[in-house]
């Protein structure tokens, strides 16, 4: 059993427990449920020359602890002030050290749209994502059937959420792509071996629909790499570790943004 299989198994157990203690009706009655979500896709399209989804991530299975010294609300607010198109917050506890409470705390201190980064395996999590105040949800093609991707995307849209569909290779695109998703993300990290290269995004760009809003995720460490990927059709980038490995993640994002402004 690889790391991804273990994560999915744990997540299914976690969701089964959550469903036993809280109902979908309870989630629908939450204060966030009727609010209109912010649009990450529009923020990315309006960003010049491209947008950044900056991530708050304490740890990962491949890197261990990245940064457990900073406050999620402070970093997320700083990311927003530095010009991020959206903030990604990990809510998986067992493997990434995150929580739903992290997202809820951060949401109180900023107006940027928020991506809930987690492993969605059940429609219950979609209602939960809306209830905790997120604007964009992640679907990972590697762990879902196309029928599930279609079902989950349509439900998310019904609830006012946007959907980021993440793929890692050509097979996942061919088997799981659904034209209705708002953003298509190419993850440069192999979730089974946890090796990372931006060449993955470059290679896949050749087969992806030109009209689809696309972002590249993971392993991006310089504006030069972003320029290369932008030339391949990517309009945004999800970056976490590059910022989080520093004592002031938001300041690192600010430096990235200033580099782009200097290019003019």
């Amino acid at each position: 059993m690889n790391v991804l299989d273990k994560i999915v198994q744990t997540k299914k157990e976690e969701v089964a427990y959550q469903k036993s203690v809280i109902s979908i009706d309870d989630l629908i009655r939450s204060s966030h449920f009727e609010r209109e979500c912010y649009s990450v896709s529009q923020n990315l399209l309006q960003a010049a020359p491209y947008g950044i989804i900056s991530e708050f991530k304490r740890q990962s299975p491949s890197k261990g602890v990245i940064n457990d010294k900073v406050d999620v609300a402070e970093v997320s607010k700083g990311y927003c002030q530095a010009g991020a198109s959206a903030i990604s917050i990990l809510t998986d506890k067992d493997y990434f050290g995150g929580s739903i409470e992290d997202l809820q705390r951060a949401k109180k201190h900023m107006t940027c749209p928020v991506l809930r980064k987690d492993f969605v395996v059940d429609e219950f999590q979609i209602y939960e994502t809306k209830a905790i105040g997120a604007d964009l949800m992640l679907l990972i093609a590697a762990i879902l059937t196309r029928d599930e991707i279609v079902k989950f995307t349509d439900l998310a849209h019904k609830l006012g959420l946007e959907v980021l569909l993440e793929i890692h290779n050509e097979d996942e695109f061919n088997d799981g792509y659904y034209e209705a998703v708002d953003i298509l993300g190419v993850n440069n990290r192999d979730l089974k071996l946890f090796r990372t290269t931006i060449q993955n995004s470059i290679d896949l760009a050749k087969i992806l629909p030109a009209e689809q809003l696309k972002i590249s995720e993971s392993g991006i460490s310089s504006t030069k790499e972003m320029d290369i990927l932008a030339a391949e059709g990517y309009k945004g980038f999800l970056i976490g570790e590059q910022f989080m490995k520093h004592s002031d993640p938001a300041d690192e994002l600010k430096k990235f943004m200033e580099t782009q402004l200097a290019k003019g």
Side-chain angles (χ1 to χ4, degrees):
M1 184 180 290
N2 60 48
V3 174
L4 184 58
D5 292 334
K6 291 178 181 178
I7 292 173
V8 171
Q9 179 177 300
T10 302
K11 188 60 57 178
K12 288 180 177 179
E13 294 169 357
E14 175 189 313
V15 172
Y17 172 75
Q18 288 296 105
K19 291 170 72 173
S20 74
V21 297
I22 187 170
S23 69
I24 288 177
D25 285 342
D26 291 331
L27 295 173
I28 291 173
R29 286 192 289 268
S30 74
S31 60
H32 283 297
F33 214 85
E34 294 303 319
R35 76 174 185 88
E36 184 175 350
C37 293
Y38 298 120
S39 174
V40 178
S41 61
Q42 287 302 310
N43 277 12
L44 290 172
L45 289 170
Q46 292 168 9
Y50 39 70
I52 295 176
I53 300 175
S54 49
E55 187 161 87
F56 184 90
K57 177 168 64 174
R58 292 188 180 88
Q59 65 188 55
S60 74
S62 61
K63 298 292 184 178
V65 174
I66 299 168
N67 188 340
D68 60 357
K69 307 299 183 185
V70 292
D71 178 72
V72 63
E74 182 178 339
V75 171
S76 298
K77 182 179 179 180
Y79 277 157
C80 192
Q81 291 173 338
S85 294
I87 313 301
S88 171
I89 297 178
L90 271 296
T91 57
D92 176 80
K93 178 180 180 181
D94 293 314
Y95 296 91
F96 291 87
S99 68
I100 285 174
E101 289 73 27
D102 279 343
L103 192 151
Q104 291 174 316
R105 282 192 60 233
K107 189 71 178 180
K108 292 179 181 178
H109 299 278
M110 61 181 188
T111 57
C112 288
V114 179
L115 161 64
R116 181 194 182 183
K117 192 89 171 288
D118 212 316
F119 297 79
V120 173
V121 294
D122 190 290
E123 67 176 20
F124 174 87
Q125 293 166 281
I126 304 172
Y127 287 95
E128 185 179 62
T129 298
K130 181 64 183 289
I132 64 176
D135 304 284
L136 174 69
M137 59 171 282
L138 173 69
L139 296 180
I140 301 173
I143 65 175
L144 300 170
T145 66
R146 188 175 189 279
D147 286 345
E148 288 173 324
I149 291 169
V150 170
K151 177 183 176 183
F152 292 170
T153 298
D154 290 347
L155 175 58
H157 286 166
K158 180 180 177 181
L159 300 182
L161 294 164
E162 290 189 324
V163 174
L164 164 62
L165 175 64
E166 178 179 284
I167 62 168
H168 301 82
N169 54 51
E170 185 173 354
D171 287 342
E172 290 177 12
F173 172 72
N174 291 334
D175 294 342
Y177 178 60
Y178 180 36
E179 298 82 355
V181 300
D182 302 279
I183 306 168
L184 181 64
V186 174
N187 196 326
N188 299 312
R189 178 175 292 119
D190 185 318
L191 285 185
K192 295 179 179 179
L193 301 176
F194 279 84
R195 294 182 302 205
T196 306
T197 171
I198 67 164
Q199 189 63 41
N200 193 47
S201 285
I202 294 170
D203 293 341
L204 284 176
K206 299 175 177 59
I207 67 165
L208 303 181
E211 67 278 6
Q212 174 67 62
L213 176 59
K214 297 179 284 291
I215 66 171
S216 180
E217 309 169 20
S218 303
I220 300 160
S221 59
S222 70
T223 54
K224 180 180 179 181
E225 289 173 330
M226 290 192 288
D227 289 339
I228 291 169
L229 291 166
E232 298 291 337
Y234 293 93
K235 185 58 178 165
F237 305 96
L238 193 152
I239 304 175
E241 184 183 334
Q242 176 63 23
F243 303 143
M244 287 297 297
K245 67 183 182 182
H246 295 276
S247 60
D248 189 341
D251 188 59
E252 289 302 309
L253 170 61
K254 184 179 178 181
K255 292 175 184 176
F256 258 57
M257 302 301 289
E258 287 173 349
T259 299
Q260 286 308 308
L261 289 172
K263 291 179 181 180

